[in-house]
C-alpha cells in the first residue's frame, strides 16, 4: 500500500506542475523539434568542448593543423560518447539527457604530463596512454558488485553532490564572464562592446524565458546565440573568414599521432583526475534525474560511470581526452524543461557531423565571444542553482552540514583567488598540476569533511531524498490513474496505511536521508 500511496503522491505533484510532464525523458519528439533542441545543446556545449583541446594544444606547441585535428577528434568522440550515455548500450549509459564532454579537471594534469614528455606529438602519446588506462579503470570500477558499489556511493550523500554541483557552477561562471569580456588573450579583451553583446544576448534570452511561449522559451539559448551573432555580423564583429579556409572533410582515425605510451606517473595522475570526474558525473546524474523527474539509484549512477569510462578509453584511442557528464547542459535542461534523452542523441549526431566537417565546425566557432559569454553565464548560473536545489534537501541548520558546504566552497575558490600559491615558487609542478583546480579542491574537501563530520551514509545516499522520484513499474490499475484521481487515491491509501504516512514523513525530512521507509520496507536498489 505504501508504494501505491507514494505513486499517487508523485502523480499529484506532477499534476500540480504541468511542466514536469512536458517532455518525459523517454519520449521521442518529432524530428524538427529533436533537431532544434539537439542543435541548441551543441551550441551551448561547443565552447566548453573545444576549449580543452585548444588550451592543451597551444600549451604543447602543436601546429595549427594538429590543433584543428584535435578539435575535430574531440567533437567526433563527444558525439559518440553522448549517444552512449543518453541512448544506452545494455548496462552502459544512464539513459538520461546528459551530454558528454572533455573534463576541465584534466587540463592542468595533461599539460604537466605533456610538458614532462617534451611537448609536441610525443606529449600527446604519453597523455593518451594515461587516458586509455584511466578510462578502462573507471569502466571496471563501475562494474563492482552491487554491495561494493553501494558502499562507495555512501561517500556521496546530497551534501557532497550538492556542494560539487554548486562548485561546478561557481567555477564555470568566470569562464562565461571571461567570454563575455571577449575571451582571455584576445586583443579586445575587456572592450565594452563585448559586454554589450553579452548583455544584449542575456537580456534577449531572459525576455524569451519570461514572455515567450513554451516552445520559444525552450529554444531561448539557441535564439539568443543566433540573434547575437546576427547583430554582431551586421556590425562587422562576427568574422566568417576561417570557414572558407577549413576543409570540407576531416576524418578522425585511431592513433593518428602514433601508438600511446604507458608511463606510471601520467597514469597515476589521470586516475586521480577520473576520481574527481566520477564525483562530477555522480552529482550531474542526480541533478538531471531530479530535473526530469526520474529516480536515480546506484545502478543508474553505475551505468553513467561506465559510459564515462568507455568514452574516456575511446577518447584515448581517437586522439581525444577524458570525458565527463557536462554540467553546462544540465543547466540547459533545467532552463528549457525539455527532458527527452533523445534530444541528446540528436545532439550527439550533430557533433559527429561537426567532427567530420571542419567547415561546418568553423561556422559554429564563429559565434563571437561576447555573445557566447552572455548565454554561457546564464547557463552556468543555472548549474550552480541545480546544486543549491540539491543542498535544499540537506538540513543546513545542522552545523556539521553547514561546515561541509561552506569550507568546501572556500577551497574551491582558492585557485582563482590566490593563484600564486600554486606557482613553482611555492609548490612542486607535479603537485600543482593536480591541485590547481577549484573542482578538484572543492570536491575533495566535500568528501573528506563529510566523512569527518557525518561519516558515510547508511544506505544508497540519494535513494531517500529524490525530489520527484519516478514511480517504479507497477500493474496498470496502480499506475494509470488520471491526475484528477491521484489526490483522492493518495488520501485513501494514506488512511489505510500508517506505515506509508510515516514513510512519506521520513522521506521529506532532509536531516535523515538514510532512514527512509524505502530502506526499511523494500530491498535496496542493486547495481
Amino acid at each position: 500500500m505504501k508504494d501505491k500511496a507514494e505513486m499517487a503522491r508523485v502523480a499529484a505533484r506532477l499534476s500540480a506542475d504541468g511542466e514536469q510532464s512536458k517532455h518525459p525523458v523517454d519520449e521521442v519528439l518529432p524530428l524538427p523539434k529533436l533537431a532544434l533542441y539537439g542543435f541548441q545543446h551543441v551550441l551551448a556545449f561547443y565552447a566548453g568542448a573545444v576549449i580543452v583541446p585548444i588550451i592543451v594544444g597551444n600549451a604543447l606547441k602543436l601546429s595549427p593543423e594538429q590543433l584543428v585535428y584535435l578539435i575535430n577528434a574531440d567533437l567526433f568522440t563527444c558525439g559518440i560518447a553522448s549517444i552512449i550515455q543518453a541512448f544506452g548500450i545494455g548496462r552502459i549509459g544512464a539513459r538520461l539527457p546528459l551530454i558528454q564532454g572533455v573534463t576541465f579537471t584534466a587540463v592542468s594534469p595533461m599539460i604537466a604530463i605533456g610538458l614532462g614528455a617534451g611537448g609536441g606529438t610525443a606529449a600527446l602519446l604519453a597523455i593518451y596512454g594515461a587516458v586509455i588506462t584511466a578510462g578502462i579503470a573507471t569502466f571496471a570500477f563501475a562494474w563492482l558488485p552491487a554491495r561494493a558499489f553501494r558502499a562507495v556511493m555512501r561517500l556521496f550523500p546530497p551534501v557532497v553532490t550538492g556542494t560539487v554541483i554548486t562548485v561546478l557552477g561557481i567555477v564555470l561562471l568566470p569562464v562565461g564572464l571571461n567570454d563575455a569580456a571577449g575571451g582571455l588573450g584576445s586583443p579586445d579583451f575587456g572592450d565594452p562592446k563585448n559586454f554589450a553583446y553579452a548583455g544584449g544576448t542575456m537580456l534577449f534570452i531572459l525576455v524569451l524565458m519570461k514572455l515567450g511561449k513554451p516552445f520559444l522559451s525552450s529554444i531561448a539559448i539557441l535564439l539568443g546565440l543566433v540573434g547575437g551573432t546576427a547583430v554582431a555580423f551586421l556590425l562587422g564583429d562576427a568574422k566568417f573568414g576561417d570557414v572558407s579556409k577549413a576543409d570540407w572533410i576531416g576524418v578522425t582515425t585511431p592513433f593518428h599521432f602514433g601508438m600511446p605510451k604507458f608511463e606510471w606517473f601520467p597514469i597515476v595522475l589521470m586516475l586521480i583526475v577520473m576520481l574527481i570526474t566520477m564525483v562530477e558525473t555522480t552529482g550531474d546524474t542526480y541533478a538531471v534525474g531530479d530535473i526530469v523527474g526520474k529516480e536515480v539509484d546506484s545502478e543508474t549512477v553505475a551505468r553513467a560511470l561506465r559510459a564515462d569510462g568507455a568514452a574516456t578509453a575511446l577518447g584515448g584511442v581517437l586522439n581525444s581526452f577524458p570525458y565527463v557528464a557536462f554540467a553546462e547542459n544540465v543547466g540547459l535542461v533545467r532552463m528549457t524543461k525539455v527532458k527527452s534523452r533523445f534530444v541528446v542523441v540528436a545532439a550527439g549526431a550533430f557533433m559527429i557531423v561537426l567532427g567530420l566537417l571542419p567547415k561546418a565546425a568553423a561556422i559554429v566557432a564563429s559565434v563571437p565571444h561576447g555573445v557566447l559569454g552572455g548565454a554561457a553565464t546564464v547557463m552556468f548560473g543555472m548549474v550552480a542553482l541545480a546544486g543549491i536545489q540539491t543542498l535544499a534537501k540537506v538540513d543546513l541548520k545542522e552545523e556539521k552540514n553547514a561546515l561541509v558546504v561552506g569550507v568546501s566552497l572556500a577551497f574551491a575558490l582558492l585557485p582563482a583567488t590566490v593563484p600564486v600559491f600554486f606557482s613553482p615558487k611555492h609548490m612542486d609542478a607535479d603537485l600543482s598540476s593536480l591541485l590547481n583546480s577549484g573542482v578538484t579542491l572543492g570536491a575533495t574537501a566535500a568528501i573528506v569533511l563529510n566523512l569527518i563530520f557525518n561519516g558515510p551514509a547508511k544506505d544508497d545516499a540519494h535513494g531517500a531524498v529524490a525530489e520527484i522520484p519516478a514511480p517504479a513499474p507497477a500493474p496498470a490499475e496502480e499506475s494509470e490513474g488520471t491526475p484528477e484521481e491521484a489526490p483522492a487515491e493518495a488520501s485513501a491509501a494514506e488512511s489505510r496505511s500508517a506505515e506509508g504516512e510515516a514513510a512519506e514523513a521520513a522521506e521529506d525530512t532532509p536531516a535523515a536521508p538514510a532512514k527512509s521507509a524505502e530502506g526499511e520496507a523494500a530491498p535496496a536498489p542493486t547495481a
Side-chain angles (χ1 to χ4, degrees), residues 348-366:
F350 275 122
M351 285 186 276
I352 290 174
V353 171
L354 288 175
L356 294 173
L357 301 174
K359 196 175 287 292
I363 295 174
V364 180
S366 299

Side-chain angles (χ1 to χ4, degrees), residues 40-126:
Q40 179 173 240
H41 268 288
V42 173
L43 286 179
F45 148 96
Y46 188 85
V50 302
I51 194 65
V52 173
I54 289 174
I55 292 173
V56 173
N58 286 330
L60 301 182
K61 309 298 183 185
L62 298 182
S63 68
E65 293 77 14
Q66 291 169 335
L67 186 58
V68 168
Y69 193 93
L70 277 188
I71 294 173
N72 286 335
D74 178 22
L75 288 170
F76 182 79
T77 313
C78 283
I80 297 174
S82 297
I83 291 172
I84 293 173
Q85 186 72 273
F87 186 78
I89 300 175
R91 295 177 66 191
I92 304 172
R95 291 177 171 83
L96 289 169
L98 287 167
I99 288 279
Q100 296 293 106
V102 175
T103 175
F104 288 91
T105 307
V107 170
S108 294
M110 287 193 299
I111 291 175
I113 293 170
L115 294 179
T121 56
L124 290 176
L125 301 183

Side-chain angles (χ1 to χ4, degrees), residues 295-360:
E295 183 178 8
V296 171
D297 57 15
S298 57
E299 167 62 10
T300 309
V301 174
R303 293 200 309 265
L305 295 178
R306 290 166 200 155
D308 267 12
T312 297
L314 182 65
V317 172
L318 294 179
N319 320 291
S320 191
F321 304 116
Y323 283 86
V324 69
F326 244 41
E328 294 93 319
N329 293 78
V330 174
L332 182 60
V333 173
R334 188 189 185 283
M335 283 184 62
T336 62
K337 297 184 175 64
V338 178
K339 304 171 186 178
S340 171
R341 61 191 174 98
F342 294 99
V343 169
V344 170
V345 174
F350 275 122
M351 285 186 276
I352 290 174
V353 171
L354 288 175
L356 294 173
L357 301 174
K359 196 175 287 292

Side-chain angles (χ1 to χ4, degrees), residues 84-450:
I84 293 173
Q85 186 72 273
F87 186 78
I89 300 175
R91 295 177 66 191
I92 304 172
R95 291 177 171 83
L96 289 169
L98 287 167
I99 288 279
Q100 296 293 106
V102 175
T103 175
F104 288 91
T105 307
V107 170
S108 294
M110 287 193 299
I111 291 175
I113 293 170
L115 294 179
T121 56
L124 290 176
L125 301 183
I127 291 172
Y128 291 148
V131 168
I132 292 171
T133 306
I136 293 172
T138 303
F139 185 78
F141 166 79
W143 286 100
L144 284 175
R147 185 184 298 273
F149 188 80
R150 283 202 304 275
V152 175
M153 294 310 301
R154 290 167 60 194
L155 300 176
F156 306 118
V159 68
V160 172
T161 54
T163 301
V164 171
I165 299 168
T166 304
V167 163
L168 279 170
I170 292 174
V171 169
L172 287 170
L173 275 170
V175 177
L177 292 172
N178 279 325
D179 267 329
L184 280 174
S186 66
D188 62 346
F189 182 73
D191 191 317
K193 72 177 180 182
N194 294 317
F195 288 108
Y197 286 130
T201 301
M202 186 183 299
L203 179 62
F204 184 59
I205 292 170
L206 295 177
V207 169
L208 285 178
M209 296 295 296
K210 175 67 177 176
L211 303 177
K213 295 181 179 180
F215 177 71
L216 289 178
S217 298
S218 66
I219 59 171
I221 296 292
L222 173 61
L223 294 178
L225 290 169
V226 172
T229 303
V231 171
F233 177 75
L234 293 175
L235 296 177
D237 292 319
K239 311 295 184 182
F240 293 94
D242 289 339
V243 177
S244 60
K245 300 176 184 177
D247 294 331
W248 280 104
I249 301 293
V251 180
T252 298
T253 56
F255 306 123
H256 173 78
F257 297 103
M259 294 303 295
K261 296 180 179 179
F262 298 90
E263 301 172 354
W264 73 268
F265 177 73
I267 289 174
V268 170
L269 205 55
M270 203 56 61
L271 286 172
I272 296 173
V273 167
M274 291 308 294
L275 285 175
I276 302 301
T277 63
M278 283 193 285
V279 180
E280 291 184 42
T281 291
T282 299
D284 289 340
T285 303
Y286 280 116
V288 84
D290 279 353
I291 292 168
V292 304
K294 183 172 182 178
E295 183 178 8
V296 171
D297 57 15
S298 57
E299 167 62 10
T300 309
V301 174
R303 293 200 309 265
L305 295 178
R306 290 166 200 155
D308 267 12
T312 297
L314 182 65
V317 172
L318 294 179
N319 320 291
S320 191
F321 304 116
Y323 283 86
V324 69
F326 244 41
E328 294 93 319
N329 293 78
V330 174
L332 182 60
V333 173
R334 188 189 185 283
M335 283 184 62
T336 62
K337 297 184 175 64
V338 178
K339 304 171 186 178
S340 171
R341 61 191 174 98
F342 294 99
V343 169
V344 170
V345 174
F350 275 122
M351 285 186 276
I352 290 174
V353 171
L354 288 175
L356 294 173
L357 301 174
K359 196 175 287 292
I363 295 174
V364 180
S366 299
V367 175
H369 281 287
V371 173
L372 190 61
T377 301
V378 175
M379 289 188 300
F380 296 162
M382 299 304 288
V383 172
L385 178 60
I388 293 170
Q389 285 184 314
T390 301
L391 289 174
K393 304 169 189 173
V394 179
D395 183 9
L396 293 179
K397 293 181 181 179
E398 174 63 47
E399 186 174 320
K400 295 178 180 179
N401 291 330
L403 284 171
V404 171
V405 177
V407 176
S408 299
L409 290 175
F411 271 93
L413 293 174
L414 183 61
T417 53
V418 194
V420 68
F421 178 70
F422 302 91
S423 67
K425 179 181 178 181
H426 299 289
M427 185 176 292
D428 178 75
D430 292 337
L431 185 60
S432 175
S433 68
L434 174 64
L435 298 180
N436 192 9
S437 163
V439 176
T440 300
L441 291 181
T444 303
I447 294 170
V448 172
L449 290 172
N450 181 67

Side-chain angles (χ1 to χ4, degrees), residues 1-2 4-6 8 488-498 500-501:
M1 304 302 294
K2 181 193 74 171
K4 188 173 182 179
E6 172 61 18
E489 187 178 3
S491 178
E494 289 168 2
S495 66
R496 290 193 301 268
S497 174
E501 184 175 341

